[in-house]
């Protein structure tokens, strides 16, 4: 057996001793810039008597960098986890020889030795072999050590493996299906549904794809996102209390990053099911070789023909009940230098169409392109990354009256960031510039025309310092300043995130911060179902007061506070409890009560009856309990969320339609049998969701509405009016509880490829959505007195072939 230094964490040593033998070791191959410069120079002198180890970890089979991989020095407590680019850095290492352990679930472990010299940066890249179902205590303990060194409050990282562990409509994994099972996330419906994250409406959540802003990430059917799960590298969801590197939204962040194409082999995948079909191609432009540069491409295209296939496979739902179609394209080219620096160029095109017969039709298109880069200069402790992107979104609504209803937004965003490594600490700072143009025109329910055309720009800067104190306390102190040029408003936004390791199993955590944004939604938070999803910038036409409080700026603002505890019941099981509150101090909403034009003649009318927009405030508060079990064959994920959302527009207090008080999600996945490349032959997945009813406005009665178009000469005894509805107070009723069970079985076939080390695979997935055909209410047609339910039982069979 190997002897270990006593300074290493004793629990980690015991696990290593049980799993690593000597044979294994032998076998495994203005003033602020000046002050900042002075601070860094002092730190540089203090590090002169120590060395640094840095490099990248690559998948040996594809040449693609591997993120979130654990790298530790066996003889000390020092270690690091790779970032999303596969980069790691361990600083302030005393000179000498060390054993380096690289470990992560899903890959074979790698152990080697390296010599660290005083005042030198030692560069070492590692190449690890993928092993999807390799699982041992060393890797589990390494994962625990990673959690002890990172502040993960209000944050969930979704991996490609997790996307496959939940049954989805049609059988193909989709990010939107997995987001629904995360703590604090509420999904409003199968058709036109949107995600509401811990009390924030969709416009308050920023969705990024490789740094590009995606204005509408979900298709109208509500069951599919624009993202291809097969090209997702990671998806980080920050539901509250996010750090200073993110800004421009007041509720949540969804940051999706795509992987690079295979740098060794040309591969692809085709798949089909009753809802969608897909083609994915990837391969090298310049093949990957250790110590040399490389380049690759990856292209994905998927489309839905549900408007046609539903008539064949799901005609029992009713004719023209699923008139949805869409298409999604994404392409990426990656260039890697031998030293680890890299650049990516990417583009996307997403389209969606809905055509209800003889009534309303919608269509939207979203396009964009961008580039990002990572520089790793030799001989410095700083890495530099930057990006530029442009994206656009346009939606049109066509009604029988042919009145124009459209919304468009297009804009750019660019950023430049610097990360400086100081032993176990980290300093990151950067600048960001965003600009966009909005075009909007619509008629509201009172047939009043509302339009807006505006250009806006905002510039921001941030700094974040991560400090680890004696392996116990982790502090992330940040500050962001956001200037909205078109509004002439500046928002200073301090942020703080903290974790304290009570012991090896118990961790306390908290976060708080101030947030702001300019963008508002073209639909009201009071709309239950609305497929018209548009955007506006902060308008000038705001009321002067909210209640008795003067309106002094046009920004939307919020304050977050989150606190929680993590507890590892054992090596495979963990509990997580988080309490949160979001205080929305100022919100802007479309005024659904407007019935008068805001002209001189109508100045005697109440302001809330003539302004296009209203100002509100609100609060969202609650808690989430999460239980997670990650075994070799069995995976269990259970979440209970309690949530209260309130709004106040100065006239009334109300609950918005997405105020779901109780929400339960249970996910289970079991795999058995092994293929030639150690993947599971069979996998069974299930998900059950229970949610309390959404608020809705009750009907008090009906009456005949006579418009008196002829003035005082109108003969109301002979004139036929229109049917009108008398409503109760806003959202004082509650719909019935919602619950649904989804189930899928996956069968993997692997065919040996004699010409290549990449085996061919075929997957057959049988899935059933809404297994017991629960009649969950979607909405109630008051005029026809007819209940409209969400989707009934939907069986499907999908097939995919990877080559």
């Amino acid at each position: 057996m190997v002897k270990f230094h006593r300074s290493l964490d004793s629990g980690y040593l015991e696990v290593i001793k049980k799993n690593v033998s000597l044979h294994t070791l032998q076998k495994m191959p203005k003033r602020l810039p000046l002050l900042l410069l002075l601070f860094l120079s002092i730190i540089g002198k203090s590090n002169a008597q120590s060395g640094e180890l840095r490099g990248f970890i690559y998948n040996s089979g594809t040449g693609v960098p591997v993120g979130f991989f654990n790298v530790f020095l066996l003889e000390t407590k020092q270690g690091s986890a790779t970032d999303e680019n596969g980069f790691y850095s361990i600083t302030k290492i005393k000179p000498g020889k060390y054993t380096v352990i690289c470990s992560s679930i899903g890959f074979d472990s790698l152990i080697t030795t390296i010599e660290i010299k005083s005042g030198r940066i030692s560069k070492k890249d590692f190449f690890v072999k993928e092993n999807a179902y390799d699982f041992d205590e060393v890797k589990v303990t390494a994962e625990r050590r990673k959690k002890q060194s990172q502040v993960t409050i209000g944050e969930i990282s979704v991996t490609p493996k997790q996307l496959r562990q939940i049954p989805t409509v049609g059988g193909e994994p989709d990010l939107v299906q997995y987001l629904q099972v995360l703590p604090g996330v509420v999904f409003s419906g199968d058709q036109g549904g949107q995600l509401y994250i811990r009390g924030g409406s969709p416009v308050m959540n920023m969705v990024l794809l490789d740094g590009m802003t995606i204005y509408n990430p979900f298709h109208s059917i509500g069951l599919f996102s624009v993202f291809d799960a097969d090209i997702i590298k990671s998806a980080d969801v920050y539901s509250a209390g996010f750090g200073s590197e993110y800004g421009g939204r007041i509720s949540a962040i969804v940051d999706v990053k795509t992987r690079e194409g295979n740098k060794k082999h040309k591969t692809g995948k085709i798949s089909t099911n009753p809802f969608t079909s897909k083609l994915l191609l990837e391969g090298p432009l310049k093949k990957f070789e250790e110590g040399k540069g490389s380049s690759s491409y990856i292209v994905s295209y998927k489309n839905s023909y549900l408007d046609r296939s539903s008539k064949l496979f799901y005609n029992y739902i009713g004719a023209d009940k699923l008139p949805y179609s869409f298409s999604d394209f994404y392409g990426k080219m990656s260039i890697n230098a031998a030293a680890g620096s890299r650049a990516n160029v990417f583009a996307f095109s997403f389209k969606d169409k809905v055509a209800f017969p003889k009534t309303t039709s919608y269509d939207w298109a979203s396009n964009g392109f961008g580039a990002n880069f990572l520089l790793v200069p030799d001989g410095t402790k700083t890495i530099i990354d930057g990006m530029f992107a442009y994206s656009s979104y346009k939606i049109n609504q066509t009604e029988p009256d042919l009145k124009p209803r459209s919304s468009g937004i297009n804009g750019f965003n660019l950023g430049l960031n610097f990360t400086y490594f100081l032993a176990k600490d980290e300093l990151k700072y950067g600048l960001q510039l965003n600009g966009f143009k909005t075009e909007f025109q619509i008629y509201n329910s009172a047939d009043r025309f509302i339009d807006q055309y505006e250009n806006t720009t905002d510039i921001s800067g941030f700094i974040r310092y991560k400090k680890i104190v004696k392996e116990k306390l982790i502090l992330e102190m940040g500050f962001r300043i956001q200037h909205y040029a078109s509004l002439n408003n500046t928002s200073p936004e301090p942020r703080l995130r903290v974790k304290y390791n009570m012991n090896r199993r118990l961790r306390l955590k908290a976060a708080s911060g101030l947030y702001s944004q300019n963008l508002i939604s073209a639909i009201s938070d009071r709309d239950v179902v609305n497929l018209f999803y548009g955007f506006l910038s902060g308008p000038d036409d705001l009321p002067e007061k909210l209640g008795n409080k003067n309106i002094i700026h046009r920004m939307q603002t919020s304050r977050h506070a989150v606190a929680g505890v993590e507890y590892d019941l054992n090596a495979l099981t963990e509990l997580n409890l988080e309490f949160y509150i979001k205080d929305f101090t100022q919100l802007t909403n479309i005024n659904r009560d407007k019935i008068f034009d805001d002209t001189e003649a109508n100045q005697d009318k109440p302001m809330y009856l003539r302004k296009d927009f209203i100002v509100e405030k609100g609060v969202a508060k609650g808690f989430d309990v999460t239980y997670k079990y990650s075994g070799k064959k069995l995976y269990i994920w259970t979440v209970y969320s309690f949530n209260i959302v309130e709004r106040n527009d100065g006239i009334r207090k109300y609950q918005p339609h997405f105020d779901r008080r109780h929400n339960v999600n249970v996910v289970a996945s079991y795999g058995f049998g092994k293929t030639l490349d150690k993947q599971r032959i069979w996998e069974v997945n299930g998900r059950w969701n229970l949610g309390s009813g959404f608020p809705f406005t009750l009907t008090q009665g009906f009456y005949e509405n006579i418009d008196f178009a002829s003035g005082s000469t109108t003969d109301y005894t002979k004139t036929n009016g229109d049917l009108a509805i008398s409503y109760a107070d806003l959202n004082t009723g509650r719909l019935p509880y919602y619950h649904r069970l989804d189930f899928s079985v996956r069968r993997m076939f692997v065919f040996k490829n004699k010409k290549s080390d990449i085996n061919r695979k075929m997957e057959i997935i049988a899935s059933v959505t809404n297994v017991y055909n629960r009649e969950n209410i979607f909405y109630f047609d008051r005029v026809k007195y007819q209940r409209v339910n969400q989707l009934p039982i939907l069986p499907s069979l999908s097939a995919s072939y990877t080559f």
Side-chain angles (χ1 to χ4, degrees), residues 648-660:
N648 185 344
D649 61 8
I651 300 174
R652 63 179 78 84
K653 292 182 180 180
Y654 69 96
Q655 278 72 44
H657 71 88
F658 52 88
D659 176 39
R660 171 163 279 171

Side-chain angles (χ1 to χ4, degrees), residues 337-358:
S341 298
R342 64 184 56 124
N344 299 290
V345 180
F346 32 76
F348 71 87
S349 178
F350 307 138
K351 296 181 180 180
D352 187 280
K353 187 175 182 180
V354 187
F356 294 103
K358 301 179 182 180

Side-chain angles (χ1 to χ4, degrees), residues 4 9-19:
F4 300 95
D9 178 79
S10 58
Y12 192 60
L13 273 174
E14 289 302 318
V15 174
I16 295 282
K17 289 176 182 179
K18 288 192 295 181
N19 290 275

